[in-house]
């Protein structure tokens, strides 16, 4: 997709009502330090529209990024960061759950996993949780540029087995540094959001 226009349109806190509109949404979930903001910036072809931070746990809201006035990329709060009080984590969990349950335009959930490490307990919980809410998460294996080419298949297998992925689950290796995986991710988003509509 050629990005002609990208903007942060809506920010929802814990008590905010989710926006009502008729554009498709794709959501991005992941651990606080998995590189979610960098990945979203790479997808939007913008350097710093999604705020990146050296302090994990900064995204504490649900952020809606409007793309070409056609769809929304929805950035969900990062999970699993140890320094955040348990009460805050529970609030974020409720926000994410409310979003998954009540967004009528949500078409797909992308779950970001650091390709360098075996998925942690929080990653497994999130994967199962998204599945339990009726979605088949698409896995984006981030930080691809941090490992050697020869390690890619081994690490993808580690992610696949660590999450106990369901057969047929899509997984895309992604690097925000090199842009690898960007085109593949966009073509998947476009086919999910627009091809069904056009086929009707």
């Amino acid at each position: 997709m050629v990005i002609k226009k990208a903007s942060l349109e809506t920010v929802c806190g814990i008590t905010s009502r989710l926006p009502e509109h008729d554009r498709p949404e794709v959501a991005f979930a992941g651990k606080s330090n998995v590189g979610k903001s960098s990945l979203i910036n790479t997808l939007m072809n913008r350097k710093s529209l999604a705020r990146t931070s050296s302090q994990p746990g900064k995204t504490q809201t649900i952020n809606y990024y409007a793309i070409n006035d056609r769809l929304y990329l929805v950035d969900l709060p990062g999970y699993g960061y140890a320094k955040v009080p348990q009460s805050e984590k529970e609030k974020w969990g409720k926000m994410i759950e409310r979003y998954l349950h009540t967004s009528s335009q949500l078409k797909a959930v992308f779950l970001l996993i650091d390709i360098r490490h075996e998925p942690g307990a929080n990653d497994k919980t999130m994967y199962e949780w998204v599945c339990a809410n009726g979605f088949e998460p698409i896995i984006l294996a981030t930080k691809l540029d941090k490992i050697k080419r020869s390690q890619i298949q081994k690490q993808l297998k580690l992610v696949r087995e660590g999450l106990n992925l369901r057969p047929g689950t899509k997984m895309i290796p992604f690097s925000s540094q090199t842009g690898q995986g960007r085109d593949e991710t966009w073509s998947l988003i476009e086919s999910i959001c627009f091809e069904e509509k056009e086929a009707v």
Side-chain angles (χ1 to χ4, degrees):
M1 180 177 277
V2 178
I3 310 297
K4 294 176 180 168
K5 193 174 168 190
S7 62
L8 175 58
E9 193 168 285
T10 309
V11 176
C12 289
I14 285 160
T15 57
S16 309
R17 280 188 61 176
L18 297 175
E20 291 180 17
H21 57 82
D22 58 1
R23 294 180 202 162
E25 298 171 7
V26 290
F28 295 83
K31 217 157 34 180
S32 299
N33 57 354
V34 77
K36 193 152 47 69
S37 298
S38 299
L39 181 139
I40 290 171
N41 281 327
T42 300
L43 287 175
M44 295 190 292
N45 222 9
R46 300 290 188 272
K47 279 208 161 57
S48 56
L49 189 52
R51 284 174 300 178
T52 57
S53 170
S54 56
Q55 285 180 285
K58 275 292 187 193
T59 305
Q60 300 180 16
T61 50
I62 297 175
N63 299 333
Y64 288 73
Y65 295 94
I67 308 295
N68 293 352
D69 295 327
R70 287 190 79 200
L71 78 153
Y72 289 100
L73 303 185
V74 181
D75 185 9
L76 300 176
Y79 58 81
Y81 188 52
K83 289 189 182 175
V84 175
Q86 187 60 33
S87 58
E88 280 297 299
K89 289 183 194 173
E90 284 168 10
K91 283 180 191 168
W92 297 356
K94 284 182 181 144
M95 277 172 76
I96 296 172
E97 189 167 33
R98 180 167 63 104
Y99 172 73
L100 293 176
H101 276 308
T102 60
S103 171
S104 59
Q105 296 299 327
L106 179 59
K107 305 299 180 194
V109 178
F110 287 86
L111 180 58
L112 281 61
I113 304 289
D114 189 330
I115 197 169
R116 298 172 299 174
H117 309 298
E118 186 177 353
N122 285 311
D123 294 318
K124 294 174 190 178
T125 301
M126 192 68 188
Y127 175 71
E128 290 300 334
W129 198 32
V130 174
C131 290
N133 277 284
F135 292 92
E136 288 277 337
I138 298 153
I139 309 302
L140 293 174
T142 64
K143 310 204 178 186
L144 179 63
D145 51 284
K146 308 277 191 202
I147 63 171
K148 294 177 181 161
R149 283 180 78 97
S150 59
Q151 295 176 301
I152 294 172
Q153 291 311 315
K154 177 182 154 228
Q155 293 305 114
L156 289 175
K157 187 179 179 211
L158 194 72
V159 172
R160 193 175 287 111
E161 291 177 353
L163 290 176
N164 193 19
L165 291 183
R166 297 174 180 189
T169 299
K170 290 187 175 71
M171 182 156 53
I172 300 172
F174 198 103
S175 167
S176 296
Q177 292 295 316
T178 67
Q180 188 171 337
R182 181 184 185 274
D183 291 347
E184 197 180 340
T185 303
W186 264 122
S187 71
L188 197 54
I189 290 171
E190 287 183 278
S191 70
I192 291 165
C193 292
F194 302 119
E195 281 179 16
E196 289 173 15
K197 221 183 219 179
E198 285 157 12
V200 172

